[in-house]
Amino acid sequence: MSADIQLMKFHVVVRPKAAVLDPQGAAVQEAMQHLGMPEVRSVRIGKYLEIEVEGDEAEFEPRLHQLCRDLLSNPVIEDYELRNAEAQGA
Amino acid sequence: MSADIQLMKFHVVVRPKAAVLDPQGAAVQEAMQHLGMPEVRSVRIGKYLEIEVEGDEAEFEPRLHQLCRDLLSNPVIEDYELRNAEAQGA
């Protein structure tokens, strides 16, 4: 009923905390070094989610942050970053 | 020997092509809808890599793109995007 209803796009990046070992990243780093890029010094691997939500951002944003914490990341070992894709022009 | 030697940070996003089914994304979408966000219309899940490389960007960039194609993504079903992290201020 509101004129605010629209499709909004968000990007969520979930990555291992700096202090946490990332064995997948270490394996990829070694593979890159053997496949022609000996200059690689570090690789860390995380997840990238593109989420489309219909509605009023101010209303659902707190719930979206909560789901990022509870469902999309493991706060013990991972950090997440939630960005409005429209705002960053991506 | 060159003054150009430095540590450069890159972000690589690997995501399923638009025409490819993403069952992991569909599962997360359903979970989000059941956990308090019925407004979610679409979720697509990819990988996010943070890569640190030592050296001269102009020299290694073609090899980095080739490794993105050959090792980090499956070009049949995935697209990749390589960004210089310094350039975007992230």
Side-chain angles (χ1 to χ4, degrees), chain A residues 2-77:
Chain A
S2 155
D4 289 336
I5 302 258
Q6 52 180 318
L7 206 59
M8 310 213 56
K9 241 184 175 166
F10 295 89
H11 294 168
V12 180
V13 174
V14 179
R15 56 190 129 200
K17 284 182 196 278
V20 173
L21 272 183
D22 177 11
Q24 191 189 4
V28 167
Q29 178 184 343
E30 201 164 313
M32 292 181 77
Q33 287 169 339
H34 283 99
L35 292 171
M37 283 215 62
E39 308 98 323
V40 173
R41 289 292 162 271
S42 153
V43 178
R44 313 271 300 168
I45 301 185
K47 282 176 292 185
Y48 186 83
L49 295 95
E50 293 180 340
I51 302 176
E52 284 180 2
V53 189
E54 196 178 277
D56 175 8
E57 181 177 4
E59 190 266 320
F60 65 67
E61 207 183 354
R63 281 180 290 137
L64 192 50
H65 271 285
Q66 182 153 9
L67 277 186
C68 284
R69 278 190 303 272
D70 296 348
L71 178 72
L72 304 180
S73 71
N74 176 352
V76 176
I77 56 168

Side-chain angles (χ1 to χ4, degrees), chain A residues 15 39 46 48 50 63, chain B residues 15 39 46 48 50 52 63:
Chain A
R15 56 190 129 200
E39 308 98 323
Y48 186 83
E50 293 180 340
R63 281 180 290 137
Chain B
R15 57 190 128 200
E39 308 97 324
Y48 186 83
E50 293 179 340
E52 284 180 2
R63 280 181 291 138

Side-chain angles (χ1 to χ4, degrees), chain A residues 49-52 67 71-72, chain B residues 22-45:
Chain A
L49 295 95
E50 293 180 340
I51 302 176
E52 284 180 2
L67 277 186
L71 178 72
L72 304 180
Chain B
D22 177 11
Q24 191 189 4
V28 167
Q29 178 184 344
E30 201 165 312
M32 291 181 77
Q33 286 169 339
H34 283 101
L35 290 171
M37 283 215 59
E39 308 97 324
V40 174
R41 289 293 162 269
S42 153
V43 178
R44 311 272 300 170
I45 301 185

